[in-house]
Amino acid sequence: MTLTQKPVAPGLFTWPTGESAPLRLIGSQCAACDLVSFPAAPVCVRCASDESTERLLADRGTLWTYTTQDFRPPSPPYDGPRTFEPYAVGYIELPGELLVEARLTEPDPDKLRIGQHMRLTLVPYTVQDDGTEVMTFAFAPAEEETS
Amino acid sequence: MTEAVIIGVGLHPFGRFAGKPALDMGADAVRLALADAGVTWPQVQGGYVGSYEVANPDAIVGRLGLTGIPLRGVFNGCATAGTAVAQAARAIETGEHDLTIAIGMDKHPRGAFAADPSVAGIPSWYGQTGLFLTTHFFGMKINRYMHDHGISHETLARVASKNFRNAAGNEKAWRRTPLTPEEVLASPVLNYPLRQFMYCGPNEGAAALVLCRADQAHKYTGTPVRVRSTALRSRRLGAFEVQSPSFPVGEPVDSPTTDASREAYERAGIGPEDVDVAQLQDTDAGSEVIHMAENGLCKDGEQERLIAEGATEIGGSLPVNTDGGLLGNGEPIGASGLRQIHEIVLQLRGAAGARQIPGTPRVGYTHLYGAPGVSAVTILST
């Protein structure tokens, strides 16, 4: 059976991904002051310029902070599965770009630590009644680089 | 400029009051404040009313008397009550009114706030995927703070235990069962490192303050409390704030709390070392720890020792949240900051009963923080 998948929102990350189109978050860069934004921002919050260019963000960074979500968030707006599985969220620092908030693939706080290397991935955060998996971006612990 | 003083305070209990509308709770708080000030409703010349849930909070005049005065609804997230008192004081200071009122009331449903992200200027996917929770911010902020400044889980538990103990001695508080730090640490994690008994909950309640010109206070009271300054600030680019899908890297930027605090001290001509008693936004135990430093009351990291030594207890050198804070009282948003000021006024009058701090307190401090990155500070003195 082939699972159907779709992104939670258009313009958030590259889709569909493949060998020629690796997964990246889609941000923007202000044409006037170079501020990088995510999600892509039509108006710059630093200089108010309304001119920007698309910028694909780095797919690796370090974990700046994190927490866990151990109870089902109120619905709406949350539309995850009725059977709740705790998950973690954090801010990942993409050096020279920004800190981005995302779900983390590792839900156990004891297996997360500030400064940890993380890489971008996708997770099916919910499955619709027709079986379609709805995908959102997440960060997963990456292999530690040996220093 | 004319100075504003508080001559009357009124507090409806915080908790759950099935069948009682927020407007009725607000009217009760107003009547208590008027009686405390020794004035009647027709003497009030104008005011500010804060609420999140009441669509037209100025409708409270229907419960009090249709005297035709200007009554303005205000809303500023969890800083709503700080905004109401700041505007009421400003109306005195600028000479618009001689006698004015600040009112706050709310009646929130049970559980965490659920809202449409789009009304906060945030895309829908942020809510759909389970990122749109204010509690995430508080968990992540204290987790990073503990990492940077050596704060322990035990310190968070001590803060919660202290606030529940203070609430137990406050007949108008909601959560009045004392809990030991061990019991707090045994409660389930909701957002690591924060546990169930480290969080406040939305609930119901109301509060009101009557203010007048300082030069007329003698007509009403022998114990006026001076509004030395108010300050309200919003987030700056680069600060780590609630409900932020991302924020820029770079040099750390002070929080709106630090900005508001600095401005309030400067306008009051009062420094953190002069503060005798403080009411800080303790949405969670970690927030109280962080807000001690962000309001200039200690340096980052000193909380670990100060809290272990009992400095923030009622009998300590820097009592914080003597009435139980938000942890003990819950948070009806519109009323929360006026509840804080109510407590400070009682403390400065020496009328706080069993939870009265020792000595002769002269300066009290109140602070609010909320979404989407707004903070209000009020400094009061005898």
Side-chain angles (χ1 to χ4, degrees):
Chain A
M1 188 184 84
T2 307
L3 269 179
T4 308
Q5 295 182 329
K6 69 171 189 180
V8 64
L12 206 50
F13 44 81
T14 49
W15 183 274
T17 52
E19 297 243 334
S20 59
L23 172 66
R24 302 285 284 273
L25 296 177
I26 303 170
S28 61
Q29 183 164 354
C30 174
C33 80
D34 290 338
L35 183 75
V36 180
S37 299
F38 176 80
V43 175
C44 176
V45 290
R46 182 158 67 195
C47 75
S49 164
D50 61 0
E51 287 184 39
S52 64
T53 54
E54 181 179 292
R55 174 172 171 145
L56 298 180
L57 303 181
D59 61 357
R60 283 172 186 265
T62 55
L63 188 59
W64 188 75
T65 189
Y66 60 92
T67 189
T68 57
Q69 181 59 35
D70 292 279
F71 61 96
R72 195 175 189 279
S75 295
Y78 181 62
D79 66 3
R82 277 180 234 297
T83 308
F84 178 70
E85 293 286 339
Y87 56 90
V89 302
Y91 279 89
I92 293 83
E93 180 168 353
L94 307 178
E97 292 183 328
L98 43 63
L99 292 120
V100 61
E101 187 178 5
R103 288 174 72 128
L104 308 178
T105 59
E106 174 55 65
D108 181 353
D110 294 333
K111 293 180 180 167
L112 296 166
R113 77 182 160 72
I114 288 168
Q116 195 168 0
H117 292 272
M118 307 293 283
R119 62 176 175 77
L120 180 66
T121 186
L122 292 179
V123 292
Y125 84 91
T126 196
V127 180
Q128 294 181 328
D129 290 343
D130 65 1
T132 304
E133 287 187 329
V134 187
M135 309 301 288
T136 193
F137 63 97
F139 279 82
E143 295 300 316
E144 297 290 335
E145 289 157 20
T146 49
S147 54
Chain B
M1 193 164 65
T2 308
E3 189 176 85
V5 297
I6 297 168
I7 56 170
V9 293
L11 182 67
H12 184 283
F14 281 20
R16 291 275 167 218
F17 307 95
K20 187 168 189 178
L23 284 171
D24 287 347
M25 291 189 267
D28 284 358
V30 169
R31 289 189 196 98
L32 288 170
L34 294 172
D36 186 45
V39 301
T40 61
W41 175 250
Q43 290 173 268
V44 176
Q45 297 171 0
Y48 291 82
V49 199
S51 186
Y52 176 59
E53 307 282 354
V54 180
N56 290 92
D58 54 316
I60 198 166
V61 292
R63 304 284 200 281
L64 297 166
L66 302 175
T67 54
I69 59 168
L71 209 60
R72 304 87 163 180
V74 295
F75 181 70
N76 230 333
C78 294
T80 291
T83 308
V85 72
Q87 295 304 311
R90 201 60 45 87
I92 303 275
E93 291 162 1
T94 58
E96 184 186 7
H97 300 313
D98 295 336
L99 193 91
T100 184
I101 196 159
I103 310 168
M105 60 201 162
D106 256 314
K107 188 178 181 74
H108 304 300
R110 291 169 193 276
F113 289 112
D116 179 351
S118 70
V119 303
I122 290 170
S124 297
W125 60 262
Y126 190 71
Q128 288 171 262
T129 59
L131 298 180
F132 185 60
L133 279 91
T134 55
T135 59
H136 286 167
F137 168 75
F138 296 111
M140 287 192 279
K141 186 162 181 181
I142 189 61
N143 197 22
R144 178 78 200 190
Y145 194 87
M146 290 164 81
H147 170 269
D148 288 352
H149 301 293
I151 303 296
S152 64
H153 293 260
E154 288 70 24
T155 289
L156 302 185
R158 285 194 186 99
V159 167
S161 178
K162 183 259 297 174
N163 288 359
F164 289 123
R165 189 164 57 250
N166 291 352
N170 174 3
E171 71 281 0
K172 292 194 173 180
W174 183 34
R175 303 289 195 206
R176 302 188 57 201
T177 305
L179 292 170
T180 64
E182 293 72 27
E183 288 170 319
V184 174
L185 283 173
S187 65
V189 171
L190 297 186
N191 302 103
Y192 180 89
L194 297 173
R195 295 168 181 275
Q196 180 182 354
F197 294 142
M198 294 177 181
Y199 271 117
C200 86
N203 65 345
E204 308 174 15
L209 313 175
V210 178
L211 301 91
C212 81
R213 295 169 55 107
D215 58 3
Q216 295 180 3
H218 64 277
K219 293 196 287 186
Y220 308 106
T221 179
T223 54
V225 168
R226 301 168 65 189
V227 180
R228 299 296 295 268
S229 67
T230 62
L232 176 85
R233 296 295 290 270
S234 64
R235 65 199 189 283
R236 285 191 279 144
L237 182 66
F240 175 41
E241 300 301 326
V242 64
Q243 296 166 347
S244 301
S246 71
F247 68 101
V249 287
E251 289 300 305
V253 172
D254 283 338
S255 73
T257 290
T258 301
D259 289 345
S261 175
R262 197 177 287 133
E263 181 183 334
Y265 285 126
E266 197 172 303
R267 290 165 76 107
I270 282 175
E273 65 282 0
D274 301 316
V275 173
D276 295 313
V277 54
Q279 296 277 112
L280 306 179
Q281 175 92 19
D282 55 325
T283 307
D284 61 281
S287 291
E288 180 170 314
V289 171
I290 293 169
H291 290 151
M292 287 170 63
E294 289 191 346
N295 286 290
L297 300 170
C298 70
K299 291 192 172 63
D300 287 318
E302 281 184 345
Q303 300 97 327
E304 186 69 10
R305 175 182 59 80
L306 289 170
I307 290 165
E309 291 174 356
T312 57
E313 301 280 345
I314 284 173
S317 56
L318 177 64
V320 174
N321 291 331
T322 48
D323 69 349
L326 283 91
L327 287 172
N329 287 279
E331 189 185 24
I333 287 178
S336 192
L338 300 183
R339 187 264 307 157
Q340 294 181 330
I341 292 175
H342 175 274
E343 174 67 9
I344 294 294
V345 167
L346 294 191
Q347 293 286 351
L348 297 187
R349 285 177 181 171
R355 59 179 193 279
Q356 178 66 45
I357 67 168
T360 311
R362 300 282 313 275
V363 174
Y365 186 99
T366 72
H367 157 256
L368 298 168
Y369 171 82
V374 62
S375 182
V377 169
T378 306
I379 299 179
L380 305 164
S381 80
T382 54

